Amino acid sequence: MELLTTIAATRKFVAAARQQGKSIGLVPTMGYLHEGHLTLARTAREQDDVVMMSIFVNPTQFGPGEDLERYPRDLERDRKLAAGAGVDAIFAPAVAEMYPPGYATYVQVEGLTEVLCGASRPGHFRGVATVVSKLLNIVQPDRAYFGLKDYQQAVVIKRLVRDLNFPVDIITVPTVREPDGLAMSSRNKYLAPDQRRSALALYRALNLGAELIRSGERRAAVVREAMAGEILARPGTRIDYVAVNDAETLAPLEEIKGRVLLALAVWVGNTRLIDNLTLEVKDDVAHHDEKQAAPGNCHRG
């Protein structure tokens, strides 16, 4: 497995693969890999001739006072895990390689980024859209892979690819969970044992909301209140948002119908965790969306 640290070296690697007629899959990450990332890599391995992974803690998607400096980093650990998952090359640039002095160009996806995490993390999705645009331009993959734990991010990236006509297929993969249901996240490392137990409230709240909907509840406010109660019953929790939204537009719902997104952002101690679940409410019957596919065109823009 190759470790590439410059844009020039990455483009040279990609050009050599293209000359051999090989397809390329890209798995963008911020490193400190867990099973969710490795599932993305293994999915790419099944679909592409060459699998590239980017490892870059992107400063433009962190706001003031967020955990940019303490975000976990361990490149040697990541290299071993990525190799075991079938990754052929890692692109791990320095910040100055991606954002050289005088850098002044950013990408903004409007509308979809103003709710949920975008409301509480101003500028976050501008940073995400910018770095993903740069990675897609540098690597020019056939497919790029994203996990649905970051559901809003997946929706935003699909809109970005569609609107800017990037020739890439965006492949989304369902959330990978610990055996007790906690969504895998690099930030889980921050949790003390008692906080780890409290963090289970996120998945339990989502399941409670889904059960209410399956039982016939169609008032979004009632579902939100029940989910919030489940979270706040756990010590050390603080709610950023509890949402019952349209899974396509991300707009908040009053009446539950169609494809529905249940989404949470919760502080457990000093750690902010997110999770989500999607359901299909059709003919007044609710079904869990097993594939949890993000909306929009999965194919090339």
Side-chain angles (χ1 to χ4, degrees):
M1 186 181 67
E2 294 202 38
L3 177 64
L4 310 167
T5 59
T6 68
I7 293 168
T10 301
R11 285 181 165 158
K12 183 177 179 180
F13 177 89
V14 169
R18 292 291 185 205
Q19 286 176 351
Q20 298 176 45
K22 293 182 177 180
S23 63
I24 296 172
L26 173 66
V27 181
T29 82
M30 292 205 302
Y32 209 77
L33 304 180
H34 54 67
E35 186 59 29
H37 299 119
L38 302 179
T39 298
L40 296 175
R42 287 191 286 265
T43 303
R45 181 76 278 161
E46 294 172 357
Q47 300 182 7
D48 302 287
D49 299 321
V50 175
V51 178
M52 295 194 65
M53 175 181 284
S54 63
I55 295 178
F56 179 63
V57 181
N58 175 38
T60 65
Q61 69 189 69
F62 287 78
E66 293 189 344
D67 59 340
L68 173 61
E69 296 304 323
R70 71 184 186 113
Y71 194 87
R73 297 165 170 87
D74 190 337
L75 184 57
E76 285 307 308
R77 170 187 175 278
D78 289 346
R79 289 177 69 175
K80 293 175 184 176
L81 291 171
V87 173
D88 297 298
I90 289 175
F91 174 45
V95 171
E97 181 74 7
M98 294 293 279
Y99 301 108
Y103 188 89
T105 303
Y106 297 89
V107 180
Q108 177 71 47
V109 178
E110 297 184 349
L112 294 172
T113 62
E114 294 158 13
V115 297
L116 303 173
C117 288
S120 55
R121 301 184 70 189
H124 169 70
F125 285 112
R126 185 182 82 148
V128 169
T130 298
V131 77
V132 169
S133 295
K134 289 175 69 68
L135 290 170
L136 294 179
N137 188 36
I138 292 163
V139 178
Q140 299 187 8
D142 296 278
R143 301 172 188 88
Y145 298 81
F146 295 88
L148 284 172
K149 181 180 75 69
D150 298 295
Y151 186 93
Q152 184 176 14
Q153 173 179 275
V155 175
V156 168
I157 289 168
K158 288 192 174 190
R159 180 64 60 83
L160 165 76
V161 164
R162 188 196 75 179
D163 289 354
L164 295 185
N165 307 109
F166 279 104
V168 60
D169 292 348
I170 300 299
I171 309 298
T172 54
V173 177
T175 301
V176 178
R177 300 184 179 278
E178 302 284 358
D180 59 9
L182 182 66
M184 289 192 176
S185 168
S186 299
R187 289 186 170 96
N188 290 349
K189 177 180 184 289
Y190 299 154
L191 299 172
D194 59 330
Q195 295 171 336
R196 173 67 175 72
R197 289 189 290 273
S198 288
L200 295 177
L202 278 78
Y203 190 50
R204 290 177 179 175
L206 291 171
N207 282 319
L208 173 60
E211 184 56 38
L212 284 171
I213 295 170
R214 282 192 288 265
S215 298
E217 182 58 65
R218 295 296 178 263
R219 295 167 295 176
V222 172
V223 175
R224 286 194 296 267
E225 183 176 354
M227 293 167 65
E230 178 71 21
I231 293 163
L232 295 176
R234 293 280 177 155
T237 57
R238 177 165 52 93
I239 292 171
D240 182 349
Y241 64 78
V242 173
V244 180
N245 289 18
D246 185 284
E248 307 287 338
T249 67
L250 304 185
L253 294 174
E254 293 185 9
E255 179 187 357
I256 294 172
K257 58 184 177 180
R259 285 198 68 234
V260 178
L261 170 69
L262 306 182
L264 306 167
V266 176
W267 290 92
V268 181
N270 293 321
T271 303
R272 184 179 182 275
L273 301 175
I274 61 172
D275 202 350
N276 70 81
L277 181 153
T278 54
L279 299 96
E280 182 79 32
V281 179
K282 188 181 297 183
D283 299 326
D284 212 37
V285 177
H287 302 279
H288 180 60
D289 188 348
E290 293 292 341
K291 294 183 179 179
Q292 202 188 27
N297 184 359
C298 292
H299 303 290
R300 302 180 183 206

